[in-house]
Amino acid sequence: MSGISIRIRGIVQGVGFRPAVWRMAGECEIAGTVGNDAHGVLIQAWGSKSNLSRFKGLLETFPPPLARVESIEILPITGDAPHLDFQIIGSSTGEAQTGIAPDAATCPDCLKETLNPKDRRTRYPFTNCTHCGPRLSIIRSVPYDRGNTSMDDFKMCEVCQGEYDDPADRRFHAQPNACAVCGPRVWIEDGQGNEIESMQEGDAVSLAASLIEKGEIIAIKGIGGFHLACDAAQSKTVSQLRQRKKRYKKPFALMAHDVDSISNFARVGEAEEWLLRDRAAPIVILEAEGEPLAPGLAPGQSSLGFMLPYTPLHHLLMDHLKRPIVMTSANISDEPQCFENSSARERLSGIANYFLLHDRSIVNRLDDSVLRNMDGTPRFLRRARGYAPEPLLLPKGFEGAPDIMAMGGELKNTFCLLKDGRAMVSQHMGDLEEMSVLRDYLDNIDLYEQLFDHRPQAIAIDLHPGYLSSQTGRDWSRERGVALIEVQHHHAHVAACMAEHGLPADTQDVLGIVLDGLGMGDDGTIWGAEFMKAGYASYERLARFRPVPMIGAAQAVREPWRSAYAQLRQSLGWQMVADTYGGLDIVDDLQRRPLKTLETMADKGLNSPMASSAGRLFDAAAAILGISRDGVSYEGEAAILMEDMAAPCFTEEKARAYPSSVNGDNCFLLELVWDDLWTNLLDDLMRGTDQAVVAARFHQGVVVAVSDLAERLARQHGLSTVILGGGVFQNRLILEGVTETLSTTGLRVHSPRLFPANDGGLSLGQAAIAAIRQTHGKPRKATESPEFIIPTLN
Ligand SMILES: [Zn+2]
Ligand SMILES: [Zn+2]
């Protein structure tokens, strides 16, 4: 007999690790103990050499499905086994947890039980086990015990308690364990709050399903919040939902029974199928193909966002319906998703005809995650349910960094805690300007600090003084007496991508290309399309798009025609445009606007900050093509619709990319100038060239300009790695075009995958930069306040 201790780190607590180890120990005739402590799982094992090696093999090969093993360390121990059997040691309360698992979609075993008429959990909508079910969405504080979750309201019946206590059971220490006798219940209400007796088939879920079939809109409480559901094939209901929700254009997410059913309406490749079936069950963006659904699902777009059912409630609903339904987050306009029964009744009463409710509280709001396959790799557009708060193991050199809290941006906010060489990026919080989002944000930071026993020694914020995240971080740094580190917006985008691709702390400088909406520069002006030589600690700006006035500041973000006017006026002169291109729809349109006033504003810099924004360049092109010209109803709308228009012709127009030029000499900041691009684009329109072709040539023009300049800068500065970042790289054509072009020049190109390219990934970059500055360098000096109010919109 010999003894070994096995230390396992990662997400290993609250995921059924100890019972799994207990079963493996039994199989391999191992004596000893397994327990949780502050560092993860610790096993002490005694047995014969061959049994021990079999045991190690099982641990490495078959960890429980929800575990994420980061490392396994094995050390010999001397002395004999204290007892002959194998025991699970209870975790002492108050100890630090090494991570809580994300919420997970119903596992196959639980689904089988739910659909089995003979099982005691038949048709029970809250069936779960240690391999599946709610986690982050129900936790109030650590340690992750039932008493600290919203399952505290339900006392387990004898049978459930038996499962919970039995190490051989799949539900051993499954904190949300429940059944119809003892657990949460589901019911259906009408808009007046009256519970409806469900007569048919005896359950509320079936009744909800038949109401959906009849064309009703139902609010459904899920794992991380409410959805609004209706039949995706009934155009009238879908447009009714749009009107009531005041969400006129942004695509609705869909849920379908299974992958085969989705394939009737959209193209599902192998990679997409794999994503759809992920235990997080995210929304996956797919190309629409096959049978049509209601045209109002994704106006102007050729893609659809589908997900599979991820709770037993969803499964029961879809099992009845067998056809796709809209499952859009339940809110009005831009507000965050409802997650409490009372606020859902109040806020959704004008939208939903019925409410499918349950009495398990959602403690933490979690939106559905959204992924899209681009350039052969799944990419996060939104990272939330099913993925947060899973940590990212940071690359070499971050191990010794102090605890850092990074506050994130303003829109699409996430925050990030860095500790012990790991980064915990929060779920998508949303736009902090919404009061309720700000409240969630503060609550969630508090929760994450507890979950990860985090005590920040430095707080990282964006340079923008107006971001609520920056203001909060600034206040906290004063109150807590810890360092404040200000991080430039686009540098943070670059660092986030470097960190997820494992570039070590002392990496050689890279060429960062950030194509973004707006971010505060270190000179007090607005940046948004930057080429920088960067490491984690610092950066040097090498080039940008030529700045253009944003006439009306925030209004210019909302109304793309303003960008069209500003671009054309700056590049060609308005008189020249009016004389040469009169008769073009865009020119006639702009002539009817108050151009005199706009000109004065731009000339005098009145509420018209200069910005080197890539987002505004795309807005201008879209507005010229008549896309979202008067206004956008969601961020990035104009660019998203134009990408869709360009996609079919993109490849074949490669040779006819619109030209551009570079101003300046190599000693100073270079500028990409779009004068020639606009001339060629307007000429094409005068010739009556198809709009899709024009859109494709515009995209190709940006790809060529950005790639050529990048190659020149990389050569000049001896940089071999290119890092892409910023919201514009969520445009598939730009991402794939730039990646392909640069890769043929021998440069190594990395782009965001695990965290969104937009501001959703910002906090990770802030944390990485702050960690390195705290470890190796001095914090940068705070910048002067800017002279004008710059918009916080992207
Ligand atoms: Zn399960
Ligand atoms: Zn029970």
Side-chain angles (χ1 to χ4, degrees):
M1 293 277 273
S2 49
I4 52 171
S5 85
I6 306 172
R7 154 73 62 206
I8 305 174
R9 292 175 208 269
I11 299 187
V12 291
Q13 297 182 2
V15 292
F17 216 102
R18 289 174 302 162
V21 172
W22 181 83
R23 278 193 296 274
M24 291 172 193
E27 251 174 72
C28 303
E29 296 173 38
I30 300 287
T33 58
V34 56
N36 285 340
D37 64 13
H39 305 287
V41 164
L42 184 65
I43 303 168
Q44 305 217 296
W46 283 268
S48 70
K49 283 240 154 63
S50 66
N51 280 346
L52 281 174
S53 93
R54 230 182 98 215
F55 180 57
K56 282 186 288 186
L58 286 178
L59 281 172
E60 282 162 13
T61 327
F62 301 109
L66 288 192
R68 286 285 157 101
V69 174
E70 277 173 8
S71 65
I72 300 182
E73 294 153 36
I74 298 175
L75 291 170
I77 38 178
T78 48
D80 289 332
H83 37 78
L84 291 173
D85 58 352
F86 194 87
Q87 297 175 0
I88 292 175
I89 309 175
S91 58
S92 56
T93 47
E95 71 192 4
Q97 298 286 312
T98 58
I100 172 160
D103 301 74
T106 311
C107 75
D109 288 336
C110 285
L111 179 59
K112 230 181 282 167
E113 290 173 359
T114 311
L115 298 180
N116 176 4
K118 296 207 176 81
D119 194 275
R120 78 178 192 95
R121 285 193 173 83
T122 183
R123 302 194 64 78
Y124 184 56
F126 305 96
T127 305
N128 69 82
C129 70
T130 47
H131 307 153
C132 73
R135 294 288 186 279
L136 178 61
S137 59
I138 57 167
I139 190 167
R140 291 201 172 97
S141 61
V142 284
Y144 175 62
D145 282 336
R146 191 170 174 111
N148 288 330
T149 71
S150 56
M151 286 303 292
D152 190 30
D153 302 342
F154 306 94
K155 189 176 169 356
M156 272 184 279
C157 69
E158 236 170 81
V159 189
C160 284
Q161 186 70 47
E163 296 166 339
Y164 183 91
D165 291 334
D166 177 5
D169 196 281
R170 202 171 89 243
R171 298 196 164 91
F172 176 70
H173 285 194
Q175 305 303 345
N177 188 29
C179 74
V181 175
C182 64
R185 65 177 278 265
V186 64
W187 70 94
I188 191 161
E189 284 180 12
D190 64 16
Q192 284 72 50
N194 306 312
E195 186 169 341
I196 298 176
E197 289 290 327
S198 31
M199 281 157 288
Q200 48 171 48
E201 289 177 46
D203 74 80
V205 181
S206 303
L207 179 58
S210 41
L211 287 167
I212 288 173
E213 279 172 334
K214 284 186 192 136
E216 305 282 2
I217 297 169
I218 317 269
I220 298 177
K221 188 177 184 181
I223 265 205
F226 276 77
H227 288 103
L228 287 162
C230 72
D231 188 336
Q234 297 188 33
S235 307
K236 217 179 111 198
T237 314
V238 170
S239 58
Q240 202 173 40
L241 177 57
R242 281 211 178 276
Q243 293 303 320
R244 292 185 188 173
K245 203 167 142 48
K246 298 192 174 65
R247 174 160 164 162
Y248 303 110
K249 292 183 187 161
K250 203 172 178 182
F252 284 153
L254 302 165
M255 183 177 274
H257 183 262
D258 53 28
V259 172
D260 280 351
S261 154
I262 295 175
S263 325
N264 293 330
F265 309 96
R267 197 181 313 147
V268 185
E270 208 181 325
E272 284 82 12
E273 175 165 355
W274 184 83
L275 272 181
L276 285 163
R277 290 187 194 279
D278 189 82
R279 69 183 180 198
I283 296 169
V284 182
I285 307 295
L286 304 166
E287 281 304 305
E289 186 182 81
E291 292 173 44
L293 288 162
L297 294 174
Q301 292 192 42
S302 60
S303 54
L304 293 170
F306 268 104
M307 62 184 148
L308 291 175
Y310 56 84
T311 69
L313 188 150
H314 295 151
H315 280 289
L316 292 169
L317 191 72
M318 298 315 293
D319 201 50
H320 183 117
L321 281 163
K322 300 252 174 21
R323 52 171 157 178
I325 57 171
V326 169
M327 279 290 261
T328 181
S329 55
N331 55 7
I332 305 168
S333 189
D334 290 330
E335 289 176 10
Q337 190 181 19
C338 292
F339 65 102
E340 284 159 344
N341 290 353
S342 55
S343 73
R345 285 188 190 106
E346 190 183 313
R347 286 161 58 197
L348 304 176
S349 64
I351 306 178
N353 308 97
Y354 296 94
F355 293 76
L356 187 60
L357 301 175
H358 62 71
D359 54 0
R360 184 179 71 201
S361 305
I362 297 169
V363 181
N364 304 300
R365 173 174 58 86
L366 283 157
D367 296 280
D368 293 317
S369 294
V370 185
L371 284 126
R372 182 183 186 189
N373 219 42
M374 290 191 279
D375 193 32
T377 309
R379 319 254 171 188
F380 275 96
L381 304 186
R382 182 167 73 200
R383 184 179 175 276
R385 180 186 52 75
Y387 299 100
E390 192 172 314
L392 172 76
L393 193 59
L394 289 171
K396 216 166 143 268
F398 282 91
E399 304 86 357
D403 287 14
I404 304 282
M405 182 190 295
M407 307 298 289
E410 182 83 341
L411 303 180
K412 300 185 162 60
N413 174 282
T414 61
F415 60 87
C416 172
L417 304 188
L418 190 148
K419 183 191 171 82
D420 296 336
R422 290 179 184 78
M424 279 68 74
V425 178
S426 75
Q427 70 268 33
H428 164 89
M429 301 302 315
D431 302 349
L432 296 185
E433 282 158 356
E434 277 287 337
M435 267 309 290
S436 53
V437 175
L438 185 63
R439 219 166 29 234
D440 283 357
Y441 171 73
L442 300 175
D443 287 351
N444 272 283
I445 292 178
D446 190 50
L447 175 73
Y448 273 58
E449 282 193 274
Q450 273 195 56
L451 288 180
F452 297 101
D453 190 23
H454 190 268
R455 291 177 190 83
Q457 290 164 46
I459 294 177
I461 60 170
D462 191 273
L463 281 180
H464 197 305
Y467 284 3
L468 291 166
S469 56
S470 303
Q471 291 170 9
T472 309
R474 198 177 290 277
D475 292 346
W476 285 356
S477 108
R478 247 195 318 267
E479 288 162 20
R480 299 179 179 202
V482 299
L484 182 74
I485 297 175
E486 291 176 290
V487 180
Q488 200 279 321
H489 193 95
H490 305 98
H491 185 209
H493 276 305
V494 174
C497 185
M498 288 167 65
E500 76 149 275
H501 283 276
L503 272 61
D506 61 353
T507 185
Q508 304 226 311
D509 280 348
V510 301
L511 176 66
I513 306 176
V514 186
L515 301 183
D516 204 18
L518 306 171
M520 178 80 165
D522 60 22
D523 56 359
T525 70
I526 304 176
W527 297 4
E530 316 301 318
F531 296 70
M532 46 177 66
K533 178 183 168 185
Y536 288 108
S538 61
Y539 64 90
E540 179 193 344
R541 195 156 66 132
L542 305 175
R544 63 175 173 186
F545 286 10
R546 183 171 65 185
V548 173
M550 287 174 48
I551 308 174
Q555 252 178 310
V557 180
R558 288 189 286 265
E559 299 172 3
W561 65 267
R562 290 171 182 266
S563 291
Y565 173 69
Q567 287 276 353
L568 295 179
R569 174 182 176 272
Q570 187 192 59
S571 281
L572 312 174
W574 182 248
Q575 201 50 53
M576 187 280 203
V577 172
D579 293 347
T580 317
Y581 300 106
L584 277 188
D585 166 51
I586 177 68
V587 177
D588 292 350
D589 179 319
L590 289 176
Q591 293 284 31
R592 286 194 291 271
R593 314 260 180 185
L595 296 187
K596 272 272 164 298
T597 315
L598 266 66
E599 198 174 353
T600 313
M601 287 171 74
D603 285 342
K604 298 195 171 159
L606 299 171
N607 198 25
S608 301
M610 299 295 284
S612 57
S613 167
R616 298 297 82 73
L617 181 83
F618 279 76
D619 282 355
I624 292 172
L625 290 171
I627 300 168
S628 311
R629 186 182 288 163
D630 290 328
V632 290
S633 61
Y634 59 94
E635 195 198 346
E637 178 193 297
I640 289 168
L641 296 178
M642 183 169 57
E643 175 197 333
D644 222 73
M645 181 188 267
C649 323
F650 180 69
T651 310
E652 62 198 59
E653 292 303 324
K654 191 171 179 178
R656 284 169 293 278
Y658 293 140
S660 55
S661 56
V662 176
N663 270 2
D665 71 56
N666 290 336
C667 306
F668 298 101
L669 192 59
L670 298 179
E671 281 184 351
L672 260 176
V673 175
W674 305 102
D675 301 359
D676 298 337
L677 177 141
W678 295 125
T679 310
N680 280 269
L681 191 152
L682 294 178
D683 285 346
D684 262 353
L685 289 178
M686 287 298 274
R687 277 192 288 269
T689 309
D690 184 70
Q691 294 220 324
V693 171
V694 173
R697 291 177 184 171
F698 167 81
H699 278 79
Q700 289 288 6
V702 174
V703 167
V704 170
V706 167
S707 307
D708 284 357
L709 180 56
E711 196 191 344
R712 167 176 163 183
L713 291 170
R715 238 177 260 294
Q716 190 190 330
H717 295 271
L719 308 170
S720 57
T721 301
V722 176
I723 294 283
L724 308 180
V728 172
F729 282 109
Q730 291 190 331
N731 181 315
R732 181 176 65 82
L733 306 180
I734 300 297
L735 175 76
E736 294 182 353
V738 170
T739 306
E740 188 193 321
T741 314
L742 287 180
S743 299
T744 58
T745 66
L747 290 164
R748 192 180 311 117
V749 185
H750 292 312
S751 47
R753 304 163 308 183
L754 303 177
F755 299 89
N758 64 25
D759 287 4
L762 209 60
S763 61
L764 172 63
Q766 292 173 343
I769 291 167
I772 296 306
R773 289 211 189 126
Q774 274 301 92
T775 319
H776 302 295
K778 293 203 172 67
R780 295 170 55 87
K781 254 179 47 202
T783 47
E784 300 292 313
S785 292
E787 286 156 22
F788 45 82
I789 304 300
I790 69 174
T792 52
L793 294 168
N794 261 342

